[in-house]
Amino acid sequence: MTNSRRNFLQKLTASFIALPLLSTKSYANIEKDITGIFYDGPVLRVAIMGLGSYGTRVADAIQACTKVKLVGAISGTPSKLTAWQSKYTIPEKNCYNYENFDAIKDNPDIDAVYIITPNALHKEQTIRVAKAGKHVICEKPMALNAKEGEAMIAACKKANVKLLVGYRMHFEPKTLEVIRMRNAGEMGKVLFFQGLCGFRIGDPTQWRLNKDLAGGGSMMDIGIYAVNGSRYMVGEEPVWVTAQETKTDPVKFKEGVDETIQFQLGFPSGAVASCLSTYMMNGLDRFYLNAEKGFAEMQPSTGYGPIKGKTNKGELTQEHKTHQTVQMDEMAAIILEGKQPIVPVDGEEALKDLKIIDGIYAAVKSGRKVSLKL
Ligand code: NDP
């Protein structure tokens, strides 16, 4: 559907159908969904917090969603709020800054807030959004460590709101086909996973290289894809981790900001994973799964796509769809309809990754194998 037609339909929907229902939790979005089927189910009305590079990508992707509407924005930059109001037709009354966004609790037109700010802010912002009674979608990494993650989960439980984390790969069709094959036994017993995730980072002044805002270095940002990917590709939870760090540029990568970490995970079945997380090598985006009767090879494996890959059955041919559009429609179904995703995307799922990352940093520090209890 073209943007102009979509905008027209949205305006039509808002003015003729939705307005009388705006005070209810959600309202119907009368149009066709991505399968071409007429959709008049509930719509999740989302505000984005943090109008940066990924926030903008998500906002653009939401324009093609059936079950999600971008209705609000929270930012520390007034000029961005003005620009978003006109670009995405967001009413001024749904715009907030970081000081006053607790008032969102009195705004019946917003159901959920998608937090897309630097990592160190996720915990406090999630707890505030939960206290305001709104569902939380939070970007990865959910927090800086497991302790923070636990506090976020507890706050959302207490407020009776959902906490989801932006694991867009959990809805990616080629990834899901590999998971289906593995679960169906089409590859036999899984023996080994390799995850290589990295890029060469630029500007040394960006928040990603500031420990206070990032909570670490490449591991928090890109290595987490190998951590999470190990779990969904192997299909088990790891029980131990070993890790080694190397640093070639201690000026750019200061104390506590990891440049390159290699880590290994052991799983209950005896399967092992060997992974690399780096801010120093370009174009590292590869997953390889080895099993007794088959394999899966994906490259790129976690970028914005299209994901490319093959298995022992041949090329993966599932259609590419914008990850964030699919993610948001699926998350709306989880929040509004209680849909169960094939791979979880909730706070508990993200907590497991944080426990592994805690273990990786502990293993780097001690040089020892660390036991994991997920
Ligand atoms: P950006 O730097 O592009 O944007 C972050 C935004 O957060 C800023 O533009 C700003 O928006 C807001 N912000 C609030 N406080 C600060 C602060 N102290 N310093 C800097 N920015 C601040 O980062 P990204 O959008 O790339 O990343 C944001 C989050 O999204 C991270 O947690 C990251 O890991 C995650 N991410 C996830 C991806 C995925 O594929 N799932 C891909 C990329 C990022 P404003 O001016 O509106 O306040």
Side-chain angles (χ1 to χ4, degrees):
M1 182 185 300
T2 63
N3 263 346
S4 58
R5 180 160 171 251
R6 185 181 173 83
N7 287 340
F8 168 74
L9 278 173
Q10 278 179 347
K11 277 177 197 140
L12 196 77
T13 304
S15 48
F16 292 109
I17 299 156
L19 268 183
L21 300 171
L22 271 179
S23 58
T24 63
K25 251 325 207 185
S26 312
Y27 57 89
N29 202 19
I30 307 289
E31 56 180 271
K32 285 178 183 170
D33 73 8
I34 44 178
T35 58
I37 295 166
F38 185 74
Y39 178 77
D40 66 352
V43 166
L44 187 73
R45 298 161 304 167
V46 172
I48 289 182
M49 179 186 300
L51 316 185
S53 132
Y54 197 63
T56 305
R57 184 178 287 272
V58 171
D60 289 342
I62 287 176
Q63 304 312 306
C65 281
T66 308
K67 299 183 174 183
V68 182
K69 189 164 164 56
L70 177 64
V71 297
I74 301 155
S75 171
T77 313
S79 58
K80 287 188 195 169
L81 286 174
T82 314
W84 276 46
Q85 280 172 36
S86 53
K87 184 175 176 194
Y88 301 114
T89 326
I90 293 173
E92 196 176 351
K93 71 166 193 64
N94 289 356
C95 292
Y96 299 84
N97 59 42
Y98 298 115
E99 284 74 45
N100 70 12
F101 76 77
D102 307 274
I104 213 164
K105 74 172 187 310
D106 300 318
N107 190 331
D109 299 338
I110 295 173
D111 303 316
V113 176
Y114 194 160
I115 298 171
I116 318 186
T117 54
N119 311 339
L121 309 178
H122 294 176
K123 179 196 159 198
E124 192 219 319
Q125 290 168 342
T126 292
I127 292 172
R128 284 173 64 187
V129 170
K131 280 187 178 157
K134 305 297 178 182
H135 299 294
V136 181
I137 303 171
C138 179
E139 253 319 312
K140 45 59 60 178
M142 177 169 76
L144 301 190
N145 51 52
K147 195 168 167 233
E148 283 194 2
E150 277 159 2
M152 294 159 75
I153 292 170
C156 290
K157 272 205 182 112
K158 191 171 169 202
N160 200 23
V161 296
K162 288 240 162 63
L163 169 59
L164 305 183
V165 178
Y167 287 120
R168 58 187 163 76
M169 299 313 297
H170 292 198
F171 306 107
E172 196 282 317
K174 294 187 179 76
T175 305
L176 290 176
E177 168 59 9
V178 171
I179 291 169
R180 189 205 60 75
M181 281 179 66
R182 184 204 66 219
N183 286 343
E186 292 173 20
M187 293 179 181
K189 184 173 151 47
V190 170
L191 301 172
F192 175 73
F193 171 75
Q194 183 191 43
L196 308 178
C197 297
F199 63 95
R200 206 176 164 89
I201 199 160
D203 178 10
T205 65
Q206 63 185 289
W207 68 261
R208 281 183 166 78
L209 295 173
N210 174 343
K211 181 174 165 48
D212 290 343
L213 283 171
S218 74
M219 181 54 63
M220 301 301 288
D221 191 42
I222 190 81
I224 191 170
Y225 286 98
V227 170
N228 189 250
S230 295
R231 296 175 46 236
Y232 67 66
M233 294 291 280
V234 174
E236 295 178 56
E237 301 300 356
V239 288
W240 58 257
V241 59
T242 50
Q244 310 79 36
E245 179 178 5
T246 45
K247 199 173 273 199
T248 62
D249 187 346
V251 177
K252 190 168 188 178
F253 304 99
K254 302 205 167 45
E255 183 64 30
V257 179
D258 49 281
E259 178 190 311
T260 300
I261 290 181
Q262 295 183 67
F263 63 93
Q264 302 77 37
L265 299 168
F267 296 86
S269 66
V272 285
S274 172
C275 302
L276 179 81
S277 162
T278 185
Y279 267 161
M280 232 0 190
M281 303 169 207
N282 254 345
L284 273 187
D285 185 0
R286 179 182 145 84
F287 279 5
Y288 175 67
L289 188 73
N290 181 271
E292 267 176 2
K293 288 193 292 181
F295 70 93
E297 205 170 19
M298 305 171 90
Q299 183 173 349
S301 55
T302 65
Y304 298 140
I307 301 302
K308 291 203 178 104
K310 60 181 179 193
T311 70
N312 45 296
K313 283 170 66 179
E315 209 77 25
L316 288 163
T317 53
Q318 288 69 22
E319 189 192 348
H320 170 74
K321 291 180 192 139
T322 304
H323 293 177
Q324 295 79 6
T325 304
V326 179
Q327 173 203 324
M328 292 307 289
D329 267 339
E330 289 293 323
M331 285 187 165
I334 292 168
I335 291 173
L336 300 172
E337 299 158 28
K339 185 173 177 184
Q340 293 294 320
I342 294 165
V343 187
V345 286
D346 55 14
E348 278 79 6
E349 165 77 9
L351 180 61
K352 291 177 182 167
D353 287 344
L354 293 175
K355 285 182 175 171
I356 297 171
I357 292 173
D358 284 354
I360 288 171
Y361 283 133
V364 163
K365 213 168 163 188
S366 69
R368 300 224 170 91
K369 185 188 261 191
V370 170
S371 295
L372 297 170
K373 285 193 184 66
L374 306 189

